[in-house]
Amino acid sequence: METHKTKVCIVGSGPAAHTAAIYAARAELTPLLFEGWMANDIAPGGQLTTTTDVENFPGFPDGILGVDLVAKFRKQSERFGTKIFTETVNKVDFSSKPFKLFTNTRTVLADSVIVSTGAVAKRLSFPGSGEGAGGFWNRGISACAVCDGAAPIFRDKPLVVIGGGDSAMEEAKFLTKYGSKVYIIHRRDTFRASKIMQKRALSNPKIEVILNGSVVEAYGDENGKGVLGGLKVKNVVTGDVSDLKASGLFFAIGHEPATKFLDGQLELDEDGYVVTKPGTTKTSVDGVFAAGDVQDKKYRQAITAAGTGCMAALDAEHYLQEIGSQKVELGQVVRATPLTVYNGASTSTPFTVYNGASRSTPFTVYNGVSTSTPFTVDNGETTGRRETRCKWSPAEDVVLINAWLNTDKYIIVATDQRASSFWKRIAAYYSSSPAAASLPKRESSHCKQRWQKINDSVCKFVECYDHALRQRTSGQSEDDVVQVSYQFYFDDCKKRFTLEHAWRKLRHSQKWYSYISKCSKSSGSSKRAKLDEGGTFSSSSNTKSNVDEHAMARPIGVKSSKGEGEIVVTKTTNEENVVTTKITNEERESNSRSRLENLWALNEKDIAERNKLSRIELLRSLLGKTEKLSEKEETLKNKLIDEML
């Protein structure tokens, strides 16, 4: 069993599967696609391979053969880097992550899965219903009236629909647009369809019902063209067999979704279709998505399947961004055969470590993960298997951010200004949070390292977002701006931004914005981006170090302002007093001038707001007058309206 690891694994081979593969591959998710081998007795490509001309798929004004359309799907998927396996997935395990999928020869570990295995139309078997010699499948017999009903061979000809449910009523009503007469043959004396659907169908003068009937044979036309010419219908009550001339027969007895291999691990409806959340392709298992006919029992069209395939790929991409999935090389073999090492070189026998006269027990390494118990290394120290690194989840990030936002550095107590003490308090807050009860335990060093990464990445993304806002054009939504910001971030950092949850948490925090403003000023770096001038963002190298050195920026107090010119006494190692001046008179005057300018700017803004309010009141009084306005008042009113607009 060869094992692969991927971000996205797609199961299916129709328009939904290949559309998802194209979108996922273009998003650099390096998907794996399993198209199956005669899965559900259908060749790779699904139901499109069982039809002839496809005339209602955009881009092909002259129509295209179903098998040719599927071949184009496949070629386009491979062009963008999708790895396709012609193997059938016969078992899955969605109980833990990464998800596991199994074929006869491979095992796949996937961060996300898109199920697009489709549904198979149910067909009746009787002489003349099959393919090949003597059969009229795709030559007058079909299982999709919407797909094939408009074909020339059915125009102005008598047509037959077999079935008794809502689908049969709907397809019969649809076929009245093209056929001269439409017969509904049902083997029972009553229909299963809803009353409203029966009423709509049976009230149509072109529709005629044959109850207690069963088709026992199909035969060709009199001209010998090899197409359907008529049916032999048996009355199941009396046993009489009658002849019915028809140029088209459509099965409408339901579809069977290909969901057996899921073994009940996804929520299904009463008909076996995968249940998805309205407006999305999300299933009952987070990270598993469904697209195409496997979740659509209403439309069942190639174009709608392709649309949901696109939705599934976008949903999967967003999900991977949320969980911060690490990049995995396409088709990476995780554990195909045991890898053994001796002195850094591959060997066929297990690796044994020597330490003088002592000798440890052999152990085997599978792609860097030891399967042995603790072993002795060269310096004589005994160590065990290295623990698996526990990645931070979005939920943990949110708890950490809350801990940072709600933990201040003490202004007076000098001992608590130390970074180590501050991060111990952060870790204590994190551990005591109810939201962290079910999350892994984190030490202060873990919190510090994670915060540094969050702060650095989000700072960069904020600059990219501000740049995207300045370039925003008419008609662009908030989501469009965010997507542009993602592209700016990727262009500058050469990696994807995976901390959107952290950005959304911090973007409205006044404390965080004050903090990064102070850090950027104190860093004194000239490397900071000037996006106003059209440059790309480049973070200061001092950003991370400033995390530990600066508390939240606070407005200067009265005592601090008075004491700016006072002298500060510090004690040296030789216990000599050295007097230094904290700030020069020129700097003090500059600060005072800056404050006055800020106050004046605020005052000007306040005056402008008051003038605006007074003009609004004046306009309201003019509009409220019942008598006719004078010429001056009319001119003033129009001027105020123009200003407001």
Side-chain angles (χ1 to χ4, degrees), residues 10 12-23 33 35 70 73-74 77 84:
I10 303 169
S13 60
H18 284 291
T19 303
I22 292 167
Y23 272 79
L33 186 147
E35 62 181 2
V70 171
F73 290 160
R74 198 178 195 277
S77 296
I84 300 178

Side-chain angles (χ1 to χ4, degrees), residues 32-74:
L32 302 183
L33 186 147
F34 286 85
E35 62 181 2
W37 173 248
M38 296 306 295
N40 304 306
D41 297 325
I42 297 179
Q47 294 188 74
L48 282 176
T49 61
T50 67
T51 187
T52 51
D53 290 329
V54 178
E55 298 180 327
N56 55 2
F57 199 90
F60 302 96
D62 298 326
I64 183 174
L65 291 175
V67 291
D68 292 341
L69 182 59
V70 171
K72 290 181 180 293
F73 290 160
R74 198 178 195 277

